[in-house]
PDB file of all heavy atoms in Angstrom:
ATOM      1  N   GLY A1463     -29.289  -2.476   4.665  1.00  0.00           N
ATOM      2  CA  GLY A1463     -30.005  -3.593   4.065  1.00  0.00           C
ATOM      3  C   GLY A1463     -29.080  -4.508   3.284  1.00  0.00           C
ATOM      4  O   GLY A1463     -27.959  -4.147   2.922  1.00  0.00           O
ATOM      5  N   ASP A1464     -29.575  -5.698   3.005  1.00  0.00           N
ATOM      6  CA  ASP A1464     -28.760  -6.710   2.321  1.00  0.00           C
ATOM      7  C   ASP A1464     -28.791  -6.481   0.819  1.00  0.00           C
ATOM      8  O   ASP A1464     -29.396  -7.230   0.053  1.00  0.00           O
ATOM      9  CB  ASP A1464     -29.279  -8.103   2.673  1.00  0.00           C
ATOM     10  CG  ASP A1464     -28.280  -9.186   2.310  1.00  0.00           C
ATOM     11  OD1 ASP A1464     -27.126  -8.838   2.000  1.00  0.00           O
ATOM     12  OD2 ASP A1464     -28.655 -10.364   2.326  1.00  0.00           O
ATOM     13  N   ARG A1465     -28.108  -5.429   0.407  1.00  0.00           N
ATOM     14  CA  ARG A1465     -28.097  -5.031  -1.000  1.00  0.00           C
ATOM     15  C   ARG A1465     -27.199  -5.946  -1.824  1.00  0.00           C
ATOM     16  O   ARG A1465     -26.264  -6.559  -1.300  1.00  0.00           O
ATOM     17  CB  ARG A1465     -27.606  -3.585  -1.127  1.00  0.00           C
ATOM     18  CG  ARG A1465     -28.530  -2.583  -0.443  1.00  0.00           C
ATOM     19  CD  ARG A1465     -27.896  -1.213  -0.327  1.00  0.00           C
ATOM     20  NE  ARG A1465     -28.861  -0.286   0.251  1.00  0.00           N
ATOM     21  CZ  ARG A1465     -29.702   0.445  -0.465  1.00  0.00           C
ATOM     22  NH1 ARG A1465     -29.682   0.361  -1.794  1.00  0.00           N
ATOM     23  NH2 ARG A1465     -30.560   1.248   0.122  1.00  0.00           N
ATOM     24  N   LYS A1466     -27.462  -5.981  -3.111  1.00  0.00           N
ATOM     25  CA  LYS A1466     -26.661  -6.816  -4.012  1.00  0.00           C
ATOM     26  C   LYS A1466     -25.188  -6.460  -3.928  1.00  0.00           C
ATOM     27  O   LYS A1466     -24.316  -7.335  -3.960  1.00  0.00           O
ATOM     28  CB  LYS A1466     -27.174  -6.668  -5.443  1.00  0.00           C
ATOM     29  CG  LYS A1466     -26.453  -7.554  -6.445  1.00  0.00           C
ATOM     30  CD  LYS A1466     -27.047  -7.416  -7.842  1.00  0.00           C
ATOM     31  CE  LYS A1466     -26.316  -8.309  -8.844  1.00  0.00           C
ATOM     32  NZ  LYS A1466     -26.878  -8.152 -10.215  1.00  0.00           N
ATOM     33  N   LEU A1467     -24.878  -5.162  -3.810  1.00  0.00           N
ATOM     34  CA  LEU A1467     -23.490  -4.721  -3.732  1.00  0.00           C
ATOM     35  C   LEU A1467     -22.751  -5.338  -2.550  1.00  0.00           C
ATOM     36  O   LEU A1467     -21.532  -5.490  -2.583  1.00  0.00           O
ATOM     37  CB  LEU A1467     -23.423  -3.190  -3.609  1.00  0.00           C
ATOM     38  CG  LEU A1467     -23.433  -2.355  -4.886  1.00  0.00           C
ATOM     39  CD1 LEU A1467     -23.443  -0.879  -4.531  1.00  0.00           C
ATOM     40  CD2 LEU A1467     -22.244  -2.689  -5.772  1.00  0.00           C
ATOM     41  N   LEU A1468     -23.495  -5.682  -1.492  1.00  0.00           N
ATOM     42  CA  LEU A1468     -22.879  -6.160  -0.261  1.00  0.00           C
ATOM     43  C   LEU A1468     -22.792  -7.677  -0.178  1.00  0.00           C
ATOM     44  O   LEU A1468     -22.426  -8.223   0.859  1.00  0.00           O
ATOM     45  CB  LEU A1468     -23.653  -5.619   0.942  1.00  0.00           C
ATOM     46  CG  LEU A1468     -23.628  -4.091   1.097  1.00  0.00           C
ATOM     47  CD1 LEU A1468     -24.583  -3.653   2.195  1.00  0.00           C
ATOM     48  CD2 LEU A1468     -22.214  -3.593   1.393  1.00  0.00           C
ATOM     49  N   GLN A1469     -23.100  -8.349  -1.261  1.00  0.00           N
ATOM     50  CA  GLN A1469     -23.072  -9.810  -1.247  1.00  0.00           C
ATOM     51  C   GLN A1469     -21.681 -10.386  -1.482  1.00  0.00           C
ATOM     52  O   GLN A1469     -21.451 -11.574  -1.273  1.00  0.00           O
ATOM     53  CB  GLN A1469     -24.053 -10.354  -2.298  1.00  0.00           C
ATOM     54  CG  GLN A1469     -25.506 -10.062  -1.954  1.00  0.00           C
ATOM     55  CD  GLN A1469     -26.478 -10.534  -3.025  1.00  0.00           C
ATOM     56  OE1 GLN A1469     -26.076 -11.185  -3.996  1.00  0.00           O
ATOM     57  NE2 GLN A1469     -27.743 -10.209  -2.853  1.00  0.00           N
ATOM     58  N   ALA A1470     -20.753  -9.539  -1.903  1.00  0.00           N
ATOM     59  CA  ALA A1470     -19.380  -9.987  -2.150  1.00  0.00           C
ATOM     60  C   ALA A1470     -18.449  -8.782  -2.023  1.00  0.00           C
ATOM     61  O   ALA A1470     -18.893  -7.636  -2.107  1.00  0.00           O
ATOM     62  CB  ALA A1470     -19.263 -10.605  -3.545  1.00  0.00           C
ATOM     63  N   PRO A1471     -17.160  -9.003  -1.791  1.00  0.00           N
ATOM     64  CA  PRO A1471     -16.209  -7.886  -1.718  1.00  0.00           C
ATOM     65  C   PRO A1471     -16.253  -7.031  -2.983  1.00  0.00           C
ATOM     66  O   PRO A1471     -16.589  -7.512  -4.062  1.00  0.00           O
ATOM     67  CB  PRO A1471     -14.860  -8.594  -1.562  1.00  0.00           C
ATOM     68  CG  PRO A1471     -15.187  -9.908  -0.961  1.00  0.00           C
ATOM     69  CD  PRO A1471     -16.506 -10.308  -1.555  1.00  0.00           C
ATOM     70  N   GLY A1472     -15.889  -5.765  -2.821  1.00  0.00           N
ATOM     71  CA  GLY A1472     -15.828  -4.845  -3.949  1.00  0.00           C
ATOM     72  C   GLY A1472     -16.807  -3.702  -3.879  1.00  0.00           C
ATOM     73  O   GLY A1472     -16.759  -2.785  -4.706  1.00  0.00           O
ATOM     74  N   ALA A1473     -17.702  -3.708  -2.892  1.00  0.00           N
ATOM     75  CA  ALA A1473     -18.725  -2.659  -2.814  1.00  0.00           C
ATOM     76  C   ALA A1473     -18.127  -1.274  -2.655  1.00  0.00           C
ATOM     77  O   ALA A1473     -18.707  -0.284  -3.106  1.00  0.00           O
ATOM     78  CB  ALA A1473     -19.675  -2.952  -1.647  1.00  0.00           C
ATOM     79  N   PHE A1474     -16.962  -1.192  -2.022  1.00  0.00           N
ATOM     80  CA  PHE A1474     -16.397   0.105  -1.679  1.00  0.00           C
ATOM     81  C   PHE A1474     -15.179   0.470  -2.537  1.00  0.00           C
ATOM     82  O   PHE A1474     -14.424   1.373  -2.204  1.00  0.00           O
ATOM     83  CB  PHE A1474     -16.036   0.121  -0.191  1.00  0.00           C
ATOM     84  CG  PHE A1474     -17.215  -0.190   0.679  1.00  0.00           C
ATOM     85  CD1 PHE A1474     -17.422  -1.475   1.155  1.00  0.00           C
ATOM     86  CD2 PHE A1474     -18.151   0.793   0.970  1.00  0.00           C
ATOM     87  CE1 PHE A1474     -18.537  -1.780   1.928  1.00  0.00           C
ATOM     88  CE2 PHE A1474     -19.265   0.498   1.743  1.00  0.00           C
ATOM     89  CZ  PHE A1474     -19.469  -0.789   2.217  1.00  0.00           C
ATOM     90  N   GLY A1475     -15.001  -0.246  -3.628  1.00  0.00           N
ATOM     91  CA  GLY A1475     -13.905   0.066  -4.526  1.00  0.00           C
ATOM     92  C   GLY A1475     -12.557  -0.388  -4.029  1.00  0.00           C
ATOM     93  O   GLY A1475     -11.518   0.104  -4.484  1.00  0.00           O
ATOM     94  N   GLU A1476     -12.557  -1.364  -3.117  1.00  0.00           N
ATOM     95  CA  GLU A1476     -11.298  -1.826  -2.547  1.00  0.00           C
ATOM     96  C   GLU A1476     -10.509  -2.681  -3.533  1.00  0.00           C
ATOM     97  O   GLU A1476     -11.075  -3.343  -4.390  1.00  0.00           O
ATOM     98  CB  GLU A1476     -11.546  -2.610  -1.250  1.00  0.00           C
ATOM     99  CG  GLU A1476     -12.402  -3.853  -1.386  1.00  0.00           C
ATOM    100  CD  GLU A1476     -13.873  -3.622  -1.067  1.00  0.00           C
ATOM    101  OE1 GLU A1476     -14.392  -2.561  -1.472  1.00  0.00           O
ATOM    102  OE2 GLU A1476     -14.497  -4.500  -0.463  1.00  0.00           O
ATOM    103  N   ASN A1477      -9.198  -2.678  -3.356  1.00  0.00           N
ATOM    104  CA  ASN A1477      -8.296  -3.543  -4.135  1.00  0.00           C
ATOM    105  C   ASN A1477      -8.037  -4.872  -3.449  1.00  0.00           C
ATOM    106  O   ASN A1477      -7.823  -5.882  -4.111  1.00  0.00           O
ATOM    107  CB  ASN A1477      -6.946  -2.861  -4.369  1.00  0.00           C
ATOM    108  CG  ASN A1477      -7.039  -1.608  -5.199  1.00  0.00           C
ATOM    109  OD1 ASN A1477      -6.659  -0.534  -4.732  1.00  0.00           O
ATOM    110  ND2 ASN A1477      -7.536  -1.717  -6.411  1.00  0.00           N
ATOM    111  N   ILE A1478      -8.007  -4.855  -2.110  1.00  0.00           N
ATOM    112  CA  ILE A1478      -7.707  -6.048  -1.320  1.00  0.00           C
ATOM    113  C   ILE A1478      -8.813  -6.255  -0.298  1.00  0.00           C
ATOM    114  O   ILE A1478      -9.217  -5.311   0.394  1.00  0.00           O
ATOM    115  CB  ILE A1478      -6.360  -5.915  -0.586  1.00  0.00           C
ATOM    116  CG1 ILE A1478      -5.194  -5.834  -1.575  1.00  0.00           C
ATOM    117  CG2 ILE A1478      -6.151  -7.074   0.379  1.00  0.00           C
ATOM    118  CD1 ILE A1478      -3.865  -5.587  -0.892  1.00  0.00           C
ATOM    119  N   SER A1479      -9.291  -7.480  -0.182  1.00  0.00           N
ATOM    120  CA  SER A1479     -10.279  -7.838   0.838  1.00  0.00           C
ATOM    121  C   SER A1479      -9.710  -8.956   1.710  1.00  0.00           C
ATOM    122  O   SER A1479      -9.123  -9.917   1.195  1.00  0.00           O
ATOM    123  CB  SER A1479     -11.582  -8.301   0.190  1.00  0.00           C
ATOM    124  OG  SER A1479     -12.538  -8.671   1.165  1.00  0.00           O
ATOM    125  N   THR A1480      -9.868  -8.805   3.017  1.00  0.00           N
ATOM    126  CA  THR A1480      -9.384  -9.793   3.972  1.00  0.00           C
ATOM    127  C   THR A1480     -10.392  -9.958   5.100  1.00  0.00           C
ATOM    128  O   THR A1480     -11.335  -9.175   5.228  1.00  0.00           O
ATOM    129  CB  THR A1480      -8.045  -9.363   4.606  1.00  0.00           C
ATOM    130  OG1 THR A1480      -8.240  -8.111   5.281  1.00  0.00           O
ATOM    131  CG2 THR A1480      -6.948  -9.221   3.573  1.00  0.00           C
ATOM    132  N   VAL A1481     -10.162 -10.950   5.926  1.00  0.00           N
ATOM    133  CA  VAL A1481     -10.926 -11.140   7.162  1.00  0.00           C
ATOM    134  C   VAL A1481      -9.927 -11.203   8.317  1.00  0.00           C
ATOM    135  O   VAL A1481      -8.898 -11.882   8.218  1.00  0.00           O
ATOM    136  CB  VAL A1481     -11.776 -12.423   7.110  1.00  0.00           C
ATOM    137  CG1 VAL A1481     -12.399 -12.719   8.465  1.00  0.00           C
ATOM    138  CG2 VAL A1481     -12.852 -12.310   6.046  1.00  0.00           C
ATOM    139  N   GLY A1482     -10.230 -10.473   9.393  1.00  0.00           N
ATOM    140  CA  GLY A1482      -9.407 -10.534  10.588  1.00  0.00           C
ATOM    141  C   GLY A1482      -8.421  -9.393  10.749  1.00  0.00           C
ATOM    142  O   GLY A1482      -7.775  -9.275  11.787  1.00  0.00           O
ATOM    143  N   ILE A1483      -8.282  -8.555   9.726  1.00  0.00           N
ATOM    144  CA  ILE A1483      -7.398  -7.391   9.802  1.00  0.00           C
ATOM    145  C   ILE A1483      -8.274  -6.148   9.712  1.00  0.00           C
ATOM    146  O   ILE A1483      -8.966  -5.951   8.709  1.00  0.00           O
ATOM    147  CB  ILE A1483      -6.366  -7.364   8.663  1.00  0.00           C
ATOM    148  CG1 ILE A1483      -5.703  -8.722   8.475  1.00  0.00           C
ATOM    149  CG2 ILE A1483      -5.319  -6.290   8.918  1.00  0.00           C
ATOM    150  CD1 ILE A1483      -4.811  -8.797   7.243  1.00  0.00           C
ATOM    151  N   THR A1484      -8.278  -5.317  10.743  1.00  0.00           N
ATOM    152  CA  THR A1484      -9.122  -4.119  10.740  1.00  0.00           C
ATOM    153  C   THR A1484      -8.327  -2.914  11.253  1.00  0.00           C
ATOM    154  O   THR A1484      -7.149  -3.040  11.620  1.00  0.00           O
ATOM    155  CB  THR A1484     -10.362  -4.308  11.629  1.00  0.00           C
ATOM    156  OG1 THR A1484      -9.957  -4.293  13.014  1.00  0.00           O
ATOM    157  CG2 THR A1484     -11.097  -5.601  11.309  1.00  0.00           C
ATOM    158  N   GLU A1485      -8.997  -1.785  11.333  1.00  0.00           N
ATOM    159  CA  GLU A1485      -8.400  -0.561  11.858  1.00  0.00           C
ATOM    160  C   GLU A1485      -7.976  -0.705  13.317  1.00  0.00           C
ATOM    161  O   GLU A1485      -7.199   0.105  13.823  1.00  0.00           O
ATOM    162  CB  GLU A1485      -9.382   0.605  11.715  1.00  0.00           C
ATOM    163  CG  GLU A1485      -9.747   0.959  10.281  1.00  0.00           C
ATOM    164  CD  GLU A1485     -10.850   0.081   9.702  1.00  0.00           C
ATOM    165  OE1 GLU A1485     -11.323  -0.853  10.405  1.00  0.00           O
ATOM    166  OE2 GLU A1485     -11.251   0.319   8.560  1.00  0.00           O
ATOM    167  N   GLU A1486      -8.487  -1.729  13.988  1.00  0.00           N
ATOM    168  CA  GLU A1486      -8.122  -1.975  15.385  1.00  0.00           C
ATOM    169  C   GLU A1486      -6.713  -2.541  15.517  1.00  0.00           C
ATOM    170  O   GLU A1486      -6.040  -2.287  16.523  1.00  0.00           O
ATOM    171  CB  GLU A1486      -9.117  -2.957  16.021  1.00  0.00           C
ATOM    172  CG  GLU A1486     -10.545  -2.463  16.094  1.00  0.00           C
ATOM    173  CD  GLU A1486     -10.731  -1.388  17.145  1.00  0.00           C
ATOM    174  OE1 GLU A1486     -10.054  -1.444  18.177  1.00  0.00           O
ATOM    175  OE2 GLU A1486     -11.573  -0.490  16.915  1.00  0.00           O
ATOM    176  N   ASN A1487      -6.266  -3.325  14.546  1.00  0.00           N
ATOM    177  CA  ASN A1487      -4.978  -4.014  14.706  1.00  0.00           C
ATOM    178  C   ASN A1487      -3.959  -3.683  13.616  1.00  0.00           C
ATOM    179  O   ASN A1487      -2.983  -4.403  13.440  1.00  0.00           O
ATOM    180  CB  ASN A1487      -5.188  -5.531  14.793  1.00  0.00           C
ATOM    181  CG  ASN A1487      -6.027  -6.097  13.651  1.00  0.00           C
ATOM    182  OD1 ASN A1487      -6.058  -5.555  12.555  1.00  0.00           O
ATOM    183  ND2 ASN A1487      -6.713  -7.202  13.911  1.00  0.00           N
ATOM    184  N   ILE A1488      -4.206  -2.576  12.901  1.00  0.00           N
ATOM    185  CA  ILE A1488      -3.230  -2.048  11.934  1.00  0.00           C
ATOM    186  C   ILE A1488      -2.845  -0.645  12.389  1.00  0.00           C
ATOM    187  O   ILE A1488      -3.697   0.123  12.854  1.00  0.00           O
ATOM    188  CB  ILE A1488      -3.840  -1.994  10.513  1.00  0.00           C
ATOM    189  CG1 ILE A1488      -3.930  -3.385   9.917  1.00  0.00           C
ATOM    190  CG2 ILE A1488      -3.022  -1.095   9.590  1.00  0.00           C
ATOM    191  CD1 ILE A1488      -2.594  -4.026   9.568  1.00  0.00           C
ATOM    192  N   CYS A1489      -1.565  -0.312  12.247  1.00  0.00           N
ATOM    193  CA  CYS A1489      -1.076   0.995  12.695  1.00  0.00           C
ATOM    194  C   CYS A1489      -0.532   1.815  11.530  1.00  0.00           C
ATOM    195  O   CYS A1489      -0.079   1.260  10.519  1.00  0.00           O
ATOM    196  CB  CYS A1489       0.041   0.813  13.727  1.00  0.00           C
ATOM    197  SG  CYS A1489      -0.461  -0.046  15.232  1.00  0.00           S
ATOM    198  N   MET A1490      -0.559   3.123  11.701  1.00  0.00           N
ATOM    199  CA  MET A1490       0.083   4.008  10.730  1.00  0.00           C
ATOM    200  C   MET A1490       1.554   3.625  10.595  1.00  0.00           C
ATOM    201  O   MET A1490       2.257   3.430  11.588  1.00  0.00           O
ATOM    202  CB  MET A1490      -0.018   5.462  11.191  1.00  0.00           C
ATOM    203  CG  MET A1490      -1.370   6.103  10.971  1.00  0.00           C
ATOM    204  SD  MET A1490      -1.688   6.506   9.232  1.00  0.00           S
ATOM    205  CE  MET A1490      -0.589   7.904   8.987  1.00  0.00           C
ATOM    206  N   GLY A1491       2.004   3.505   9.358  1.00  0.00           N
ATOM    207  CA  GLY A1491       3.406   3.233   9.112  1.00  0.00           C
ATOM    208  C   GLY A1491       3.800   1.776   9.172  1.00  0.00           C
ATOM    209  O   GLY A1491       4.992   1.453   8.999  1.00  0.00           O
ATOM    210  N   ASP A1492       2.847   0.867   9.424  1.00  0.00           N
ATOM    211  CA  ASP A1492       3.177  -0.556   9.420  1.00  0.00           C
ATOM    212  C   ASP A1492       3.829  -0.939   8.088  1.00  0.00           C
ATOM    213  O   ASP A1492       3.363  -0.523   7.017  1.00  0.00           O
ATOM    214  CB  ASP A1492       1.924  -1.407   9.615  1.00  0.00           C
ATOM    215  CG  ASP A1492       1.523  -1.572  11.070  1.00  0.00           C
ATOM    216  OD1 ASP A1492       2.221  -1.036  11.952  1.00  0.00           O
ATOM    217  OD2 ASP A1492       0.501  -2.248  11.324  1.00  0.00           O
ATOM    218  N   ILE A1493       4.876  -1.739   8.156  1.00  0.00           N
ATOM    219  CA  ILE A1493       5.544  -2.260   6.966  1.00  0.00           C
ATOM    220  C   ILE A1493       5.151  -3.726   6.829  1.00  0.00           C
ATOM    221  O   ILE A1493       5.335  -4.520   7.756  1.00  0.00           O
ATOM    222  CB  ILE A1493       7.072  -2.132   7.063  1.00  0.00           C
ATOM    223  CG1 ILE A1493       7.477  -0.689   7.403  1.00  0.00           C
ATOM    224  CG2 ILE A1493       7.723  -2.583   5.757  1.00  0.00           C
ATOM    225  CD1 ILE A1493       7.096   0.333   6.359  1.00  0.00           C
ATOM    226  N   ILE A1494       4.600  -4.070   5.667  1.00  0.00           N
ATOM    227  CA  ILE A1494       4.019  -5.391   5.462  1.00  0.00           C
ATOM    228  C   ILE A1494       4.553  -5.987   4.171  1.00  0.00           C
ATOM    229  O   ILE A1494       4.611  -5.309   3.131  1.00  0.00           O
ATOM    230  CB  ILE A1494       2.477  -5.272   5.394  1.00  0.00           C
ATOM    231  CG1 ILE A1494       1.924  -4.766   6.734  1.00  0.00           C
ATOM    232  CG2 ILE A1494       1.835  -6.601   5.006  1.00  0.00           C
ATOM    233  CD1 ILE A1494       0.469  -4.354   6.685  1.00  0.00           C
ATOM    234  N   SER A1495       4.935  -7.264   4.233  1.00  0.00           N
ATOM    235  CA  SER A1495       5.312  -7.968   3.012  1.00  0.00           C
ATOM    236  C   SER A1495       4.132  -8.787   2.521  1.00  0.00           C
ATOM    237  O   SER A1495       3.363  -9.334   3.315  1.00  0.00           O
ATOM    238  CB  SER A1495       6.518  -8.876   3.258  1.00  0.00           C
ATOM    239  OG  SER A1495       6.178  -9.950   4.122  1.00  0.00           O
ATOM    240  N   CYS A1496       3.998  -8.859   1.207  1.00  0.00           N
ATOM    241  CA  CYS A1496       2.919  -9.641   0.599  1.00  0.00           C
ATOM    242  C   CYS A1496       3.399 -10.101  -0.769  1.00  0.00           C
ATOM    243  O   CYS A1496       3.697  -9.267  -1.639  1.00  0.00           O
ATOM    244  CB  CYS A1496       1.647  -8.803   0.477  1.00  0.00           C
ATOM    245  SG  CYS A1496       0.226  -9.726  -0.156  1.00  0.00           S
TER     246      CYS A1496
END
């Protein structure tokens, strides 16, 4: 359901929220600069 927690990032205790990067296109051991 469309709960208040789901209206913005942070529902799952995450530190970083993005769009377009998922478990499908990230690999174990990837080295990323930010």
Side-chain angles (χ1 to χ4, degrees):
D1464 195 12
R1465 297 168 176 269
K1466 183 177 180 181
L1467 274 177
L1468 296 172
Q1469 293 177 6
F1474 303 97
E1476 60 264 40
N1477 296 120
I1478 295 175
S1479 179
T1480 60
V1481 172
I1483 314 172
T1484 72
E1485 297 83 358
E1486 297 287 326
N1487 52 28
I1488 286 291
C1489 298
M1490 282 286 288
D1492 277 359
I1493 307 297
I1494 296 168
S1495 67
C1496 184

